[in-house]
Amino acid sequence: MDNPLPSRFATHAVGNQPSPFADLDLFTTDRALTEAVAREGAGWAQPELAEFGRRLGSAETLELGRLANAYPPVLRAFDRYGHRRDEVEFHPAWHAMMALFVGQGLHASPWSDPRPGAHVARAAGLLLACEAEAGAACPIVMTHGAIPVLRAADPALAAAWLPKLFSRAYDPGFRPVGGKAGALIGMGMTEKQGGSDVRANATRAEPAGEGAYRLVGHKWFLSAPMCDAFLVLAQAPGGLTCFFLPRWTPDGEPNALRLQRLKDKVGNRSNASSEVEFQDALAWPLGEEGRGVPTIIEMATHTRLDCALGTAGLMRRALAEAIHHAEHRSSFGRHLADHPLMRNVLADLALEYEAAVALAMRLARAFDAGEDPAEAAFRRVVTPAAKYWVCKRGPAFAAEAMEVLGGSGYVEEAPLGRLYREMPVNSIWEGSGNIMCLDVLRAIARAPAALEVVMTELRSAAGATPLFDACLRQLEARLAAGVTEEEARSVVQSLVQVLQASLLLRFAPAAVSDAFCASRLREGGTQGAFGTLPAGLATGEILARARPG
C-alpha cells in the first residue's frame, strides 16, 4: 500500500519567489558604468571589463563572496609548541577572490601599464569587484595607494619591490618576498590614543644604522596584516615619519610584528584587521623625518577615491538585488515593481547610484591626468568631498534596498545584510566624514584657484535648468561668504550634489538628470528617506536603465 504521508503533509508549494540572482554580466548590464568608462577615456578596456563582469557575476564567484564572509579569518599567534607564529589563516574562498582581483591587476595596473585611461579602467574594475566581495578590496586598495609613495620616496627600495608588486600572481605564502610570485602592502596609522589625530602617535623609531630604523610601539589598527609589507607612522628623532616595514627582514627572519588580536568588526568580516605591537621591528623611512603625514597623504588620496568606488559597487549590488526581487515578486495582484510607490523607491535608489558612478569615474579621470595643474586641483578638492558624500549615503541606501526584500532581505541567506554592514567602513576608513569636510575647507583656503577649477566644471551645465542655475548661484554665494567649520558638512554636500547634477545634465538621459535635479536640488536637498521623488517623473525609464539583466 502507498504511504499517504507525503500528500498529507504537502502543505504548500513554494511560489512567488524570484529566480536566483546569479550568472549575470555585472558590467555590460550596468549602463551608467559602461557609459562612464567610455566617456572618461577607457573605452579600450570595455571587452576586458565585460569578461571580468561575467566572472564576478557567476554563481560560483558570488558564492565565494558569501563563504569568505561566513568563515572569517583566524589569528594563529603561536604554533603548537609555543613559538611565535603571527599568521592569519583564511578560508579558501578568500584566497580565490584575492587571486581573481590580483589577476585583474586591480592592485597595480595603472602603475605597471600607465596608458591613457588606466585609472578609469581600474576604477571600473574595483567597483565591479566590490559587488561580489568588498572585503578583499582592502589589501588591493592599499597596495595601489602605496606604490606611488614608494616610487617617489625611495627609488632604490621601489626597484627591489615593484616587480613583485606589479605581478598579477597572488601568492599568500608567509615567507620572504624574494621567494614569492607577488606581493601586497598594508598600512598602520591609527593608535589607541589618537585615531584621526595621527600626530598623537606614540610609536618610536630609532636609527639602527645603514639607513634603517627600529620601531617600538603599537597600532590599534593594522590593516590587512597578512600583507608582505606596511606603510606605518612613527616618531623619529626629527618628528612623525612614514616608514616601510616588511614582514621579513633582509636576513630572512620574521620581522618583530607581534599580532595581538584580530578586530571583531561590524562588517568587512572577510578581511583581517589587527592590533599589533612592534618590538624593535626593522623599517626604512619613506621621505624626510618629520614629513610623515604629507608622505602618507599621497597614499590616502588614492584610497579615498577607492572608498567612493567601493561604496558605489555596494550600491549597485544592493540596487540590482532590489530590482530583481521587485520585478519577480507579486503582491496585491501585480509585481512589486509595478506599484507606483515601489517604483519611486527603486528609481530614487537608481538615481543615487548613477550620480555616484558619474562622480567617481570623473574623479578617476582626474587621476589619469597626472600632474596637469587643473586636474590636480580638481582631485585635491573633489576627492575628500566625494568620499564624504557618496560614503555617507551608503548605509541608508543599503537599508532601503534591504527593505524592498522585506523579511527575505533581513536574513543572512540574502546578501543585503552583508552589504549593509559593509557600508560604514568606507565612511570611517581613511578619514571620517568630519575629517573629509575639513579637508575640503583646507584645500579651498590654501588654494583658492583649486575651487575655481571645480566651479568651472560645475558651470559647464549652466543654463540646462533654472533649478540647477539657482543652486549653482546659491553655492557660489555661500563659498564667497566664507564657510565656518559648523557649516562644513552642509556646504560639502551641496558642492557634491551640484557637481553630480552638472555631470548628469551633460551626460545622462533627460529622465535621469531631470529627476535628480528635481529631487536633490530642491530646497534642503536629499536628507530623508529614499522614495520621496516628486510626482510625474519618468520612473519607468529610470528603472529600465538600471535593470541588472
Side-chain angles (χ1 to χ4, degrees), residues 66-424:
R66 185 192 72 81
L67 290 170
N69 286 271
Y71 299 95
V74 176
L75 173 62
R76 302 299 185 195
F78 299 89
D79 68 13
R80 61 179 289 193
Y81 304 105
H83 303 114
R84 292 294 314 202
R85 182 175 169 189
D86 294 303
E87 292 186 62
V88 181
E89 290 184 353
F90 293 85
H91 189 274
W94 164 271
H95 294 303
M97 296 302 296
M98 287 294 299
L100 182 59
F101 293 1
V102 171
Q104 186 67 17
L106 301 182
H107 65 302
S109 57
W111 315 120
S112 61
D113 184 15
R115 70 177 83 176
H119 281 280
V120 171
R122 183 258 174 191
L126 182 67
L127 186 153
L128 292 169
C130 289
E131 293 186 50
E133 208 299 280
C138 180
I140 296 294
V141 164
M142 288 186 297
T143 302
H144 177 257
I147 288 173
V149 176
L150 184 60
R151 293 172 79 171
D154 195 328
L157 191 61
W161 277 79
L162 286 181
K164 303 295 184 180
L165 296 173
F166 286 169
S167 170
R168 295 197 179 193
Y170 170 64
D171 187 342
F174 185 55
R175 58 184 180 274
V177 70
K180 297 188 65 173
L184 297 169
I185 296 179
M187 180 176 62
M189 290 196 293
T190 303
E191 297 188 0
K192 299 173 187 176
Q193 73 283 352
S196 298
D197 185 8
V198 295
R199 295 189 183 277
N201 279 7
T203 296
R204 305 186 309 278
E206 298 294 338
E210 299 183 354
Y213 287 66
R214 293 283 183 179
L215 272 56
V216 176
H218 77 281
K219 294 298 171 185
W220 190 231
F221 277 89
L222 182 74
S223 295
M226 63 286 181
C227 285
D228 300 282
F230 304 90
L231 300 193
V232 301
L233 293 176
Q235 298 287 356
L240 190 64
T241 303
C242 181
F243 288 91
F244 182 85
L245 193 157
R247 283 301 309 269
W248 293 76
T249 65
D251 59 5
E253 293 298 320
N255 209 350
L257 287 77
R258 305 299 182 228
L259 302 183
Q260 303 300 301
R261 61 173 175 172
L262 299 186
K263 295 292 193 179
D264 186 8
K265 295 170 291 185
V266 171
N268 200 243
R269 306 286 293 182
S270 66
N271 176 52
S273 303
S274 70
E275 296 173 29
V276 65
E277 289 187 359
F278 303 137
Q279 299 179 358
D280 268 355
L282 197 62
W284 284 262
L286 295 177
E288 301 175 17
E289 284 192 5
R291 297 285 297 167
V293 172
T295 299
I296 212 162
I297 281 295
E298 171 69 17
M299 179 182 188
T301 300
H302 291 280
T303 55
R304 287 170 178 176
L305 167 62
D306 287 353
C307 287
L309 289 164
T311 298
L314 293 167
M315 284 180 171
R316 175 59 184 175
R317 176 69 184 279
L319 173 64
E321 293 273 357
I323 293 175
H324 178 76
H325 179 87
E327 291 188 338
H328 292 84
R329 175 92 166 171
S330 296
S331 69
F332 307 107
R334 52 182 168 172
H335 286 125
L336 291 176
D338 293 331
H339 291 274
L341 188 52
M342 180 59 78
R343 282 204 308 273
N344 193 307
V345 170
L346 294 172
D348 208 356
L349 293 172
L351 291 174
E352 194 70 32
Y353 169 68
E354 179 137 1
V357 170
L359 176 62
M361 299 305 286
R362 167 63 183 92
L363 184 54
R365 175 161 64 87
F367 282 81
D368 271 318
E371 297 307 312
D372 175 85
E375 291 298 288
F378 186 87
R379 292 196 304 267
R380 183 67 185 89
V381 175
V382 176
T383 301
K387 179 190 181 300
Y388 166 68
W389 184 242
V390 173
C391 297
K392 191 60 65 180
R393 295 296 283 162
F397 188 106
E400 195 67 61
M402 185 190 300
E403 190 169 328
V404 171
L405 276 69
S408 296
Y410 195 66
V411 297
E412 289 297 336
E413 286 89 343
L416 278 300
R418 168 159 57 98
L419 301 179
Y420 177 70
R421 291 191 301 272
E422 193 74 27
M423 283 292 193

Side-chain angles (χ1 to χ4, degrees), residues 25 27 48 252 254 259 284 308 376 382 435 517:
D25 182 342
F27 179 68
E48 183 179 353
L259 302 183
W284 284 262
V382 176
I435 296 298
C517 292

